[in-house]
Amino acid sequence: MKIRRALDLYANVVRIKTVPGLKLRHQNVDFIVIREQTEGEYSALEHESVRGVVESLKITTYENSRRIAKFAFDFATKFNRKKITAVHKANIMKLGDGLFLESCREVAALYPNIKLDTMIVDNTCMQLVSKPQQFDVLVAPNLYGNIVANLAAGLVGGAGMVPGESYSTDVAIFEPGARHPFLTGAGRNIANPTAMLLCGVNLLQYLHLDGMASKIENAIAAVIKQQRIKTRDIGGYATQQDFLRSVLHQLGY
């Protein structure tokens, strides 16, 4: 959180996409989760007003709500996405989430070629589990975006399959899009490196090195599709090094 605030990394992007070769409940899933990550419930503004009573502040500002909405619509335009779903709880948090929705609608008026839908976060989670193919881009405040991104990661094979990235106006950081097995598998040679490799792919694309990015992405997809070398989290027994060696082999090394 300190790094995000220091660098003003206001936009977190998680790409949710199925890779052929995995046994999943849903196939042909391909959508983006965009999360505002500087305010909301994660503002960390809490105090104990009297003993045993804690007040926690949820901060929502017009400036940051409009900024993340514009980022989402610009991102959708760049990657030829046609629909944005704004995730909220404005039926209960009428002022805070109401401001977020108002900001999304205001920005949507500037992008007539992109459809804006709104969906309560509870229903969003149910719809993700039952029919994730209906989504294209989701934009959400901090807490809801975190929940939705982690739930969505489970649809495509888990955190080891999902890359993420964070943006400010002049900085981009590429990191796994959900809580990654590396955190518990460090030093044991068991964690799925796919998410980290795909972060590298996205970094290369960001630097306009599309040819190199495509080669690595295709190599990863080929290894998974062959179904011979898979780490434990995606139904196999291969080690992390086995997977990396197979990717390198696909690349000709």
Side-chain angles (χ1 to χ4, degrees):
M1 289 176 62
K2 289 182 178 179
I3 291 174
R4 290 170 182 167
R5 287 174 180 164
L7 298 177
D8 193 29
L9 295 167
Y10 68 92
N12 177 250
V13 178
V14 179
R15 307 185 189 219
I16 306 295
K17 187 176 181 180
T18 50
V19 178
L22 297 184
K23 294 181 179 179
L24 303 169
R25 179 176 180 178
H26 300 284
Q27 297 294 335
N28 302 315
V29 174
D30 183 4
F31 62 86
I32 309 294
V33 180
I34 297 177
R35 164 192 173 197
E36 202 290 324
Q37 61 176 6
T38 63
E39 55 182 23
E41 290 87 350
Y42 287 2
S43 299
L45 297 175
E46 298 181 311
H47 64 274
E48 189 173 29
S49 53
V50 296
R51 184 173 179 81
V53 179
V54 174
E55 294 178 331
S56 180
L57 300 179
K58 170 178 176 173
I59 305 299
T60 304
T61 64
Y62 170 77
E63 179 182 354
N64 284 328
S65 295
R66 195 181 192 286
R67 181 167 67 163
I68 195 66
K70 188 175 187 306
F71 179 92
F73 277 90
D74 286 342
F75 193 94
T77 301
K78 180 178 179 180
F79 292 96
N80 197 31
R81 300 279 178 161
K82 299 302 181 183
K83 184 177 75 170
I84 291 180
T85 303
V87 182
H88 67 95
K89 192 68 176 173
N91 57 321
I92 303 298
M93 300 181 185
K94 299 182 186 301
L95 293 179
D97 285 11
L99 178 59
F100 173 76
L101 284 184
E102 178 186 336
S103 302
C104 290
R105 292 186 179 115
E106 181 180 304
V107 172
L110 305 174
Y111 297 80
N113 295 325
I114 300 175
K115 180 182 178 182
L116 174 66
D117 283 344
T118 64
M119 190 176 291
I120 295 173
V121 62
D122 317 44
N123 188 31
T124 303
C125 293
M126 289 190 291
Q127 294 293 325
L128 279 169
V129 173
S130 60
K131 192 180 178 183
Q133 296 86 351
Q134 68 183 287
F135 295 106
D136 200 1
V137 176
L138 297 97
V139 61
N142 208 335
L143 178 62
Y144 312 149
N146 188 25
I147 293 170
V148 167
N150 281 279
L151 171 60
L155 300 174
V156 294
M161 297 296 300
V162 179
E165 54 228 71
S166 295
Y167 295 94
S168 71
T169 54
D170 56 0
V171 174
I173 291 181
F174 297 82
E175 58 186 345
R179 185 172 177 84
H180 195 269
F182 274 118
L183 296 174
T184 55
R188 298 169 59 193
N189 195 26
I190 61 173
N192 186 348
T194 301
M196 291 297 293
L197 292 172
L198 290 176
C199 286
V201 169
N202 293 341
L203 171 60
L204 290 170
Q205 291 174 341
Y206 180 75
L207 297 173
H208 304 293
L209 299 172
D210 295 336
M212 297 173 65
S214 295
K215 288 181 181 179
I216 298 173
E217 187 173 24
N218 291 338
I220 297 168
V223 171
I224 294 174
K225 190 173 183 178
Q226 289 171 1
Q227 300 192 42
R228 294 200 311 264
I229 305 295
K230 294 193 292 186
T231 49
R232 294 183 185 180
D233 60 314
I234 54 175
Y237 298 95
T239 65
Q240 184 183 109
Q241 289 185 349
D242 291 336
F243 190 94
L244 291 171
R245 277 194 290 264
S246 297
V247 172
L248 288 172
H249 178 74
Q250 288 291 329
L251 291 169
Y253 295 99

